[in-house]
Amino acid sequence: MSLSTNKKIVDFIQYLFPGKEHISLHEPLFIGKEREYVLDAINSTFVSSVGKYVDQFEEMIRNYTGAKFAIATTNGTSALHMSLLLSGVEQGDMVITQPFSFIATCNAISYLKAHPYFIDIDENTLGLSYEALKIFLNDHTYISNQQCYHKESNRRISVCVPMHTFGMPVEIDKIVSICQEFHIKVVEDAAESLGSTYKGQQTGTFGLLGTYSFNGNKTITCGGGGIIVTNDERLGKLAKHLTTQAKLPHKWEFKHDQIGYNYRLPNINAALACAQLEQLDNFITNKRETANKYADFFTSVDNVRFLKENQNSKSNYWLNAILFEDHNSQQEFLEYSNSNGVMTRPGWDLLNTLPMYPDQSNDELVNARKIHARLVNIPSSVRL
Ligand SMILES: *Cc1c(COP(=O)(O)O)cnc(C)c1O
C-alpha cells in the first residue's frame, strides 16, 4: 500500500469529520433529553435499583425490537451470562461461538465453567458462518436423548452464540434452524447490532434469548448497561427474578428462593438509556449515510474493500470496516492513520489464540485469520 493511498484515506476521513484535531473511532453523543431525564432521576432520589426509568426502558426495548420480554441489566456481559444460564448451559458443556468477537462473549461462557468452541466466520458477514457450522455439526457431533454431543470430547453442546459483528447481521435464520435440528439453543450476542435487521426482523430476536450492550462505545449508551430480550415467558420472568437477587415479593421480608445476581440496571443509567433510545433511529440513519459515503469513496481506492451490509440485511453500521489486500498494508495504514490524528483499530485478537482458550477448535478458521490480518475499523461516530 502506497503512502499516497494511506494519505488519501486519512484525508477523506478528516473531510467526513471536520474540525477535529483527533478523530476517535466512536464517540457517544448526548443531544436529546439525557440531561432532563438524568436530573429527574436524581431529583426523585430513585437512582438505584428501583424507579420508573428501568420499566420505561424495558418497555421501549420491547416496542422497538418486538420481543415480548426485556430485562435490563448492568451491562452486556451480565446480560450474556444470565442468558447462557437461562438457556441451560452447565459446567463442562461446550458452547459454540465465533473466534472473531469481543472477549465478553467467551468470558460469559467461562463464568458457567463451560468451554467455548470456535467455528469459523463468514467473510462477508464477519459473524458465525452457517456453512462452517453445518459442516461441524454434521461431521463432529451425535445426538443422544435429544441432546447434541461433540464426538471427539463427548462434551454436551448446549448452546450456540452467534455475534452480529460491528452491526452486520449473520445469516441468523439458517443458524437458528440448523441449531434447532441439532437440539442446540441459540443465544444471540447482539451487543453491537441494536437496530440492525435481518429479513426485516430485529437482530437479537431470533434466538431463544438475545442480548444488547449500552457501553460507552456502542451505537447508543447509558454509561454501562445491557438488556436481555426473549419471547419465552418463563425465561423472561426468571431473568427478572435472577437479575434482582432472586428476591420474592413481600412487603417487608427478605425472602430469596435461589442463588440470584445483582445484575439489575440502576434507574439513573436507565434514564440515560431512555433518552438515547429516543434517538436511535436518527443515529442509525446518520450512520448509514456515513457508511454510504465511505462505500462510494472506497470504490476509488485500489486494493481496499469497504465492508457493506449483505443481502437480506440492514446494518446499523456501528463500526465501519475496511479490508486490505494483505497484513503489511493493514499495519502500514494503522501506523499512518494513528500517527496522523485518526483513530483506527484492527479487529480483536482471535479468541482461540488467547492463553485461556488453546485449540478449542478443529477448524483452520481460515476466514477469521484472514479478516484478523487485514481488517481495520475506521471512525464511525454519528456526525453532526
Ligand atoms: C460490547 C460487547 C459486549 C459486552 O458489553 P458490555 O456492556 O461492555 O459488558 C459483549 N459482546 C460484544 C460482541 C460486544 O461488542
Side-chain angles (χ1 to χ4, degrees), residues 159-170:
V159 171
C160 172
V161 189
M163 196 280 279
H164 304 283
T165 308
F166 309 138
M168 296 248 221
V170 297

Side-chain angles (χ1 to χ4, degrees), residues 31-93:
I31 52 171
K33 295 190 171 157
E34 289 85 356
R35 285 158 190 81
E36 184 187 322
Y37 293 175
V38 170
L39 193 61
D40 181 46
I42 293 171
N43 288 338
S44 75
T45 76
F46 289 100
V47 293
S48 191
S49 56
V50 280
K52 66 174 185 187
Y53 285 108
V54 174
D55 298 337
Q56 194 176 314
F57 178 45
E58 290 174 344
E59 189 189 337
M60 287 172 84
I61 288 286
R62 284 198 299 274
N63 291 338
Y64 190 87
T65 61
K68 289 203 186 110
F69 298 87
I71 305 89
T73 61
T74 45
N75 53 55
T77 311
S78 57
L80 264 178
H81 177 199
M82 263 313 92
S83 298
L84 292 169
L85 181 79
L86 290 162
S87 60
V89 173
E90 288 176 2
Q91 177 165 359
D93 280 359

Side-chain angles (χ1 to χ4, degrees), residues 222-342:
C222 61
I227 203 159
I228 302 167
V229 292
T230 183
N231 288 326
D232 186 300
E233 181 171 359
R234 186 184 69 83
L235 293 181
K237 290 185 170 158
L238 193 53
K240 192 68 173 184
H241 188 53
L242 290 181
T243 52
T244 51
Q245 303 280 31
K247 186 180 181 303
L248 296 170
H250 191 280
K251 271 191 186 151
W252 59 83
E253 283 182 1
F254 295 101
K255 297 239 181 270
H256 305 265
D257 61 349
Q258 50 187 309
I259 296 172
Y261 298 81
N262 183 14
Y263 277 0
R264 186 177 166 90
L265 185 72
N267 198 46
I268 192 162
N269 296 87
L272 194 50
C274 289
Q276 286 268 284
L277 199 49
E278 289 173 353
Q279 301 164 85
L280 178 61
D281 282 336
N282 287 341
F283 283 6
I284 292 177
T285 303
N286 185 301
K287 289 164 80 67
R288 290 178 60 79
E289 276 166 20
T290 303
N292 273 333
K293 288 194 193 311
Y294 272 136
D296 279 350
F297 166 74
F298 280 105
T299 55
S300 73
V301 183
D302 290 339
N303 305 324
V304 182
R305 182 159 79 91
F306 177 77
L307 287 158
K308 282 197 237 173
E309 66 192 359
N310 299 286
Q311 246 197 338
N312 295 326
S313 63
K314 185 175 167 198
S315 174
N316 66 5
Y317 282 106
W318 169 54
L319 281 190
N320 293 291
I322 52 178
L323 265 193
F324 288 86
E325 283 265 278
D326 53 45
H327 186 58
N328 265 349
S329 311
Q330 178 215 41
Q331 293 293 310
E332 281 168 22
F333 178 70
L334 284 167
E335 175 61 45
Y336 182 84
S337 49
N338 284 291
S339 311
N340 285 279
V342 172

Side-chain angles (χ1 to χ4, degrees), residues 170-231:
V170 297
E171 290 182 294
I172 188 66
D173 56 347
K174 288 191 198 164
I175 290 173
V176 166
S177 100
I178 197 166
C179 282
Q180 251 160 12
E181 207 180 298
F182 283 81
H183 307 283
I184 297 169
K185 304 204 166 96
V186 173
V187 170
E188 279 177 86
D189 184 349
E192 306 180 353
S193 66
L194 181 65
S196 298
T197 59
Y198 187 78
K199 295 186 177 167
Q201 183 180 337
Q202 293 287 327
T203 56
T205 65
F206 288 81
L208 180 62
L209 297 129
T211 62
Y212 305 100
S213 163
F214 303 93
N215 189 42
N217 63 344
K218 297 298 197 301
T219 304
I220 58 169
T221 182
C222 61
I227 203 159
I228 302 167
V229 292
T230 183
N231 288 326

